[in-house]
Amino acid sequence: MRSKLSVDESMVPYYGRHSAKMFIQGMPLRFGYKIWAPCGSDGYPYKLKLYRGKEPGQTKLHLGTRVVNDMMSTTESCLAVTKNEVYFDNFFTLYDLLKSRAEQNIKATGTVRDNRTAGAAKLMKPNAVMKKNTRGEFDFRCDGRAFVCKWKDNSIVTIASNTRSLAPS
C-alpha cells in the first residue's frame, strides 16, 4: 500500500494578543497561529502542530527539515503503509532533506529555492536567460540522488525530487 502525503503550514486567524501569534507579510491571512500539518491525499490531516517559535535545544538542522522529520515520524507510526511519497513547497525543500528521505526509501518532491539545490542551480541556465526562452523550455541536473529541474512557465519554476534515485516499486 502506498501513501501520498503533503506537508505544509496553515494559518488560523487570530487578532488578539498571544506569544504564539505570527505575522507573515504578503500572505492573505497575515495574523494568526501557524500550524504544521501532514495531510493525506484524502484531505485529512494526520497531525497538527502549533509553531511556537524557536525552541531551546534545537539541532542545527534547517527548520523545514525538522518539521518534515517530525511530521513523517508521526505518519510512519500511525499509518499501515509500506511506501510513502511526500510533497512540499519551497519552504521545506532542501537537497539534504531529499537525500535523507531517499535513504529511508521515501519518495520526496517539491518546489525549491535556487540556493537550496547544493549547487545544481549554478550549473543550469541563469534565470535571466530562462526568462527569454519560450514557455515550456527547461534545464535539469541529476547527481543520482536528487533531480533538479528549472522550467519556464509564467515565471521560472524550479523543482527537486529524489523519486528517480530510488528503486522502482
Side-chain angles (χ1 to χ4, degrees):
M1 185 170 132
R2 180 175 304 278
S3 174
K4 294 184 180 186
L5 302 167
S6 173
V7 177
D8 207 355
E9 72 271 356
S10 181
M11 288 289 283
V12 175
Y14 180 73
Y15 296 97
R17 294 178 185 232
H18 194 276
S19 61
K21 183 176 82 171
M22 302 288 299
F23 170 75
I24 302 177
Q25 188 172 0
M27 295 292 284
L29 184 58
R30 297 181 309 175
F31 294 98
Y33 296 115
K34 183 186 275 192
I35 296 178
W36 310 112
C39 298
S41 56
D42 56 4
Y44 289 104
Y46 291 105
K47 178 180 182 177
L48 298 174
K49 183 176 181 183
L50 179 67
Y51 178 62
R52 298 172 298 189
K54 189 173 182 178
E55 297 174 7
Q58 288 180 338
T59 62
K60 296 289 182 188
L61 289 175
H62 183 267
L63 175 61
T65 302
R66 288 195 312 263
V67 169
V68 169
N69 289 341
D70 181 36
M71 298 294 128
M72 291 304 294
S73 66
T74 301
T75 56
E76 289 165 358
S77 64
C78 73
L79 292 175
V81 295
T82 56
K83 299 189 184 334
N84 281 316
E85 293 179 31
V86 63
Y87 303 92
F88 26 77
D89 63 17
N90 65 20
F91 178 82
F92 301 98
T93 310
L94 193 67
Y95 176 80
D96 293 333
L97 175 63
L98 295 174
K99 191 171 74 172
S100 70
R101 295 289 107 188
E103 291 167 359
Q104 296 174 348
N105 204 28
I106 297 173
K107 294 179 179 182
T109 303
T111 56
V112 66
R113 299 174 187 174
D114 285 345
N115 63 343
R116 296 183 180 177
T117 60
K122 292 179 184 174
L123 301 174
M124 292 190 266
K125 295 178 187 175
N127 286 350
V129 173
M130 291 288 293
K131 286 180 182 177
K132 295 177 184 176
N133 291 344
T134 59
R135 187 175 186 172
E137 290 193 32
F138 65 94
D139 192 7
F140 69 94
R141 294 293 179 268
C142 182
D143 67 355
R145 294 182 183 161
F147 172 85
V148 178
C149 179
K150 184 187 289 191
W151 82 88
K152 169 79 166 35
D153 195 31
N154 290 334
S155 62
I156 307 302
V157 179
T158 307
I159 63 163
S161 180
N162 69 1
T163 58
R164 293 292 153 203
S165 66
L166 299 174
S169 53

